[in-house]
Amino acid sequence: MSVRTRFAPSPTGFLHVGGARTALFNWLYARKHGGAFILRIEDTDAARNTDEAYSVIYQGLHWLGLQWDEGPEAGGNFGPYFQSQRNAIYEKHLATLEAKGVVYEDAGTIRFRSPRKTVVVEDLVCGKISFDMSNPVTHPDMTIRRPDGSWIFHFVNVVDDIEMQLTHVIRGEDHLSNTPKHVELYDALGAKPPQFAHIPLILNHEGKKLSKRDGGSSITHFIDGGYAPEAVANYISLLGWSPKDNREFLSLEEIRELFTLENINRRSAIFDLDKCFWLNGQYLLHMSLERFAELTLPFIDKAGIAYGSKEALLPALAIVKPKVKHLSDVPDWIGYLFTEDYAFDPAAAEKALRKTGALDRLAQLKAAFATVAEWTHPALETKLKETAEQQGVKTGEFIHPARVAVSGRAVGPGLYEMLEVLGKDRVLARFDRANAEFSA
RNA sequence: GACUCUAUCGUCCAGCGGUUAGGACACCGCCCUUUCACGGCGGAUACACGGGUUCGAAUCCCGUUAGAGUCGCCA
């Protein structure tokens, strides 16, 4: 029987890193074993479902590169993939339970009568765990249907996993205590339970289970915050799982090859934004310029930077790519390359341009640069160093004023690369502008 | 409270009876250097506690403590 896994989120309008990792692990396991990864929307609580809430889930998964084989947008032979559209199926299974006499009515609700036995769960991650379900006080009969006819999670979740022929249920450990109840339902419905794999939780900084309140942990936050999807996927894969050889920089393809349920640990993890940030920088540093441009373009367009053509943009991106840590930083880092109306950072100007002799250096450098025939990084470097030597001062005396003059700021790409990208005319003009602005 | 799970640097991850307890992020030095990064070198920091088992325990067992999860007409 081929592997079938699923991600079954509720459309809360929010996809956090914990849910994303659950989706990732299910996707990895299915892909690794040549099986199917299914997306099912658990929207039984119709009151809060909105179109936007659904699309947050789709966008998040698409962004991470987790394509589903069956589900919304994809179709499949086991649909519909929205629980809100599966009422007839639930009615059918409820009838099965009724025929067996294991459900009863209580204040308008329908409850499932527990067999009151010990249930042993064989979990692929947690091992064998037994639950004594005999005490009705501590383990009350679960409600499976509300008085208004709507269904409760435990029941529809189990019914759908049966109907959709899931072989493996990989989900957060917060469901471990629910599992014996689910197993009772599988038994009552005459179905064999799937293999369970409960993965450790991802905790917030208080050490508690992640919730909607932890806004910084939403995938939307990472998308808008300028993270590369490959970096985030890599990072979250390392929460609870590892290749066991201390490697950390892994592509989704490599992870897919190495991934096993056996290598998932049991310990809950706190999400470490610092490390995710670092990994993102590593990805931006090492990815191709094409990929960098692709990821960065939405941010540049949003900022309204008039870069003209892609041919003009690429060199600018090339020089900031090794420096930025967030894609969302790129507009700020390249903005001054595409306008003559750039602002001078007061502190930078104070230090580099208002300094005694700074404008003289600028004038000397302008004269020297004016003679440069081949406007390239190495030629400019040679010329600047030569000029510094002639004047008997350290190269920094020229470098800092030049940097601030052409960019308005003290921090940026390598000076010579920046000068090369700007081109001779603009650099000389900017020297003039700086001189005019600070000579008073 | 009951049940279940967990317990190695601040954080993430190795370790699965014998290691100077390893790697990464963060932190602190130094180097590189035109800024900021990157990179390189070095440093500080961990086996929760108590009992066993064993020649030998971070590793196996029991207990304690601590944390988390579940116990819904949320999913």
Side-chain angles (χ1 to χ4, degrees), chain A residues 11 25 168 355 363:
Chain A
F25 283 8
H168 298 260
K355 205 173 146 189

Side-chain angles (χ1 to χ4, degrees), chain A residues 134-406:
Chain A
S134 64
N135 188 340
V137 175
T138 56
H139 295 90
D141 288 337
M142 71 181 123
T143 304
I144 63 176
R145 192 175 204 181
R146 302 183 188 91
D148 69 0
S150 61
W151 306 92
I152 304 295
F153 160 72
H154 302 292
F155 178 69
V156 292
N157 185 268
V158 166
V159 167
D160 286 342
D161 285 349
I162 292 169
E163 286 283 335
M164 295 181 182
Q165 298 179 18
L166 275 314
T167 59
H168 298 260
V169 168
I170 302 167
R171 63 189 358 173
E173 201 194 274
D174 48 342
H175 287 297
L176 185 58
S177 297
N178 290 148
T179 305
K181 289 195 275 196
H182 297 180
V183 171
E184 289 180 338
L185 240 21
Y186 278 102
D187 290 345
L189 291 167
K192 181 169 166 271
Q195 301 257 69
F196 291 103
H198 287 92
I199 62 182
L201 297 177
I202 297 178
L203 275 17
N204 63 22
H205 279 287
E206 277 80 54
K208 305 277 172 57
K209 183 178 146 182
L210 238 33
S211 78
K212 294 108 247 166
R213 291 165 191 275
D214 301 304
S217 64
S218 86
I219 291 299
T220 306
H221 170 84
F222 289 91
I223 298 174
D224 297 342
Y227 284 80
E230 47 268 55
V232 174
N234 188 165
Y235 179 71
I236 62 179
S237 78
L238 261 16
L239 258 20
W241 174 83
S242 95
K244 304 287 181 191
D245 59 4
N246 281 338
R247 274 190 298 165
E248 298 199 293
F249 201 71
L250 299 159
S251 70
L252 216 43
E253 289 68 35
E254 290 174 296
I255 296 168
R256 190 177 58 201
E257 289 305 309
L258 298 165
F259 186 79
T260 65
L261 258 17
E262 291 69 40
N263 282 358
I264 293 176
N265 69 28
R266 311 278 317 268
R267 215 300 230 189
S268 295
I270 293 170
F271 191 90
D272 183 9
L273 196 57
D274 279 344
K275 190 155 180 175
C276 190
F277 175 76
W278 168 79
L279 200 58
N280 194 54
Q282 290 291 308
Y283 268 89
L284 300 190
L285 179 66
H286 294 295
M287 71 176 49
S288 72
L289 184 57
E290 274 302 313
R291 176 63 173 157
F292 186 72
E294 181 188 349
L295 290 174
T296 231
L297 220 40
F299 292 95
I300 293 169
D301 287 337
K302 193 177 168 197
I305 291 173
Y307 56 84
S309 66
K310 197 177 172 191
E311 288 64 40
L313 179 61
L314 250 27
L317 292 182
I319 64 172
V320 303
K321 179 172 168 287
K323 305 280 185 169
V324 297
K325 293 299 192 66
H326 282 142
L327 298 164
S328 50
D329 294 339
V330 171
D332 184 52
W333 275 69
I334 64 168
Y336 57 84
L337 296 172
F338 296 103
T339 175
E340 296 311 307
D341 188 28
Y342 55 96
F344 287 94
D345 170 53
E350 191 62 37
K351 208 173 164 194
L353 294 174
R354 291 196 192 279
K355 205 173 146 189
T356 314
L359 295 181
D360 296 334
R361 300 271 139 72
L362 219 46
Q364 289 156 0
L365 192 57
K366 189 194 167 191
F369 278 176
T371 69
V372 172
E374 202 187 331
W375 193 262
T376 63
H377 170 162
L380 292 166
E381 181 167 358
T382 303
K383 180 60 78 181
L384 184 144
K385 286 182 172 168
E386 195 180 290
T387 308
E389 200 172 335
Q390 281 167 8
Q391 299 299 326
V393 298
K394 290 192 286 188
T395 56
E397 296 293 316
F398 282 92
I399 286 167
H400 300 300
R403 168 182 295 287
V404 179
V406 300

